[in-house]
Amino acid sequence: MCPERALLSPYVDNEIGPAGARRVELHVAECRSCREQLRAYQTVSHALLESREPDVSAAGDRIWRRLDTMRGALRGQASFWTRGVRVPAPVAVALMAGVTLFLTSVAMWSRVNDARLELPAFGAAAVGAAAVGVIAASAQPVQWLEQGAIVIQLPDEPQFIQRGMPTILREAELTTVSARPAALP
Amino acid sequence: MRSKSERWWRDSDFGGIYRELFPLIFRVAFRIAGERGLAEDLAHEAFLRLLNRDAPLPSIDETKYWLLRVVRNLSLNHEKRRARERRAVGRLEQEGPRLAVPADTPLMQAAARDAVQEALNELPHNMRSAIVLREYAGMNYRDIASVLGISEGNVKVRLHRARRQLARLLSDGVPHVS
Ligand SMILES: [Zn+2]
């Protein structure tokens, strides 16, 4: 095979100096095989650029709206207490596990007390009420998440992809975007 | 104290960056991913990560390269995972009754794509990302090398092979769906 063959692709890309370009041009004038190869490469480049593509501006609008719903958490002045917090995903999982464990132990504890220590009715009721309170409070974080006050921080490495995330966001888009369409900047 | 990312998006114009870079990022994502839905997810994820960065990148060019790197890495991971899943499905098919293919698989979407994108999809990921950055992002070898984290010599080799393979695939007519 001709040594010039390896220069054809860089020649198409304008990545060889004038001397290299001259060498390629002289060679392809003589060599039919390399000439055909060069023409094939140029045809490929042309075909790539001519090939159909989806509507870029429609895609741009759709993704801007998706981003806009995510940006809610970054908007608006907030006091120390109402400001959004970022929770790393492992911590969020640990917290949820902790709440579940706590609720379970409260329930167990009250049952144990009911059975063995014959806690006065008033005490048992108080424990029961506390458990109900904790259960009610555990709905609050979900609300915070929905309002974007808590953002669960997923790993930031480029190797990490958020599985299932796009589907969730598309759902969110259906509910929020129809109500409040965001304009492109 | 407000978080850093909150502050830097107030100071700089995210909308402006988005408007300037989205078309390029989306085109590259589409050509590497081979389908619109996946390309939108990749582009969305890349801009979302930009939004969540603690500090802005020093220039629009560096922002562009950063986004391209994210898109390329995400699509590579996606492809690896899909290959693993396909192998798993292949094993199941050998063991048990044939699984019905759901209507919205990449395989079905492939039927609607044109021959050029089909040919691109046949290339290994490393060749495909090089040729896409060259042809659709108009980047030179040095910049492609920096985005892909390889040497310029390696870029040259990948582009040469990608072109040779594309020329063969396109001259054979419509490539088969693998
Ligand atoms: Zn020759």
Side-chain angles (χ1 to χ4, degrees), chain A residues 1-5 8 27-28 30-35:
Chain A
M1 191 177 294
C2 317
E4 284 82 3
R5 192 52 74 98
L8 297 178
H27 179 75
V28 296
E30 307 268 292
C31 174
R32 185 159 165 255
S33 160
C34 285
R35 193 161 58 238

Side-chain angles (χ1 to χ4, degrees), chain A residues 56-65 181-185, chain B residues 15 18-19 22:
Chain A
V56 175
S57 75
D61 288 346
R62 274 193 296 275
I63 292 169
W64 179 258
R65 285 196 299 266
L184 249 188
Chain B
Y18 183 81
R19 201 164 28 201
F22 178 81

Side-chain angles (χ1 to χ4, degrees), chain A residues 9 13 48 62 159-160 185, chain B residues 19 40 49 77 136 141:
Chain A
S9 172
D13 291 327
L48 289 176
R62 274 193 296 275
Q159 295 89 339
F160 179 83
Chain B
R19 201 164 28 201
E40 288 194 15
R49 287 180 186 203
N77 285 345
Y136 293 101
Y141 287 12

Side-chain angles (χ1 to χ4, degrees), chain A:
Chain A
M1 191 177 294
C2 317
E4 284 82 3
R5 192 52 74 98
L7 298 176
L8 297 178
S9 172
Y11 174 77
V12 171
D13 291 327
N14 234 333
E15 290 270 355
I16 46 174
R22 178 100 187 105
R23 183 177 160 197
V24 168
E25 281 153 17
L26 284 173
H27 179 75
V28 296
E30 307 268 292
C31 174
R32 185 159 165 255
S33 160
C34 285
R35 193 161 58 238
E36 280 171 2
Q37 196 67 20
L38 178 60
R39 196 169 301 145
Y41 288 174
Q42 286 163 337
T43 308
V44 164
S45 290
H46 185 74
L48 289 176
L49 293 177
E50 290 295 298
S51 150
R52 285 187 291 131
E53 68 174 16
D55 186 339
V56 175
S57 75
D61 288 346
R62 274 193 296 275
I63 292 169
W64 179 258
R65 285 196 299 266
R66 281 167 71 177
L67 287 168
D68 206 48
T69 57
M70 298 299 287
R71 260 197 323 160
L74 298 177
R75 284 233 192 85
Q77 290 292 321
S79 77
F80 177 81
W81 295 106
T82 56
R83 194 180 62 218
V85 285
R86 282 181 179 282
V87 187
V91 177
V93 171
L95 279 175
M96 277 188 270
V99 167
T100 313
L101 196 69
F102 177 69
L103 287 174
T104 318
S105 55
V106 164
M108 298 279 280
W109 183 70
S110 66
R111 209 172 294 163
V112 165
N113 281 324
D114 279 348
R116 291 188 191 162
L117 301 177
E118 288 175 90
L119 208 71
F122 173 76
V127 169
V132 168
V134 172
I135 289 164
S138 69
Q140 186 66 36
V142 176
Q143 214 176 332
W144 285 335
L145 271 177
E146 282 167 359
Q147 289 164 353
I150 296 177
V151 176
I152 295 180
Q153 181 100 68
L154 295 162
D156 204 20
E157 297 89 60
Q159 295 89 339
F160 179 83
I161 192 159
Q162 296 171 16
R163 286 196 80 167
M165 193 64 165
T167 327
I168 295 169
L169 292 182
R170 268 195 287 272
E171 293 293 332
E173 208 182 332
L174 281 176
T175 53
T176 57
V177 167
S178 53
R180 180 183 53 82
L184 249 188

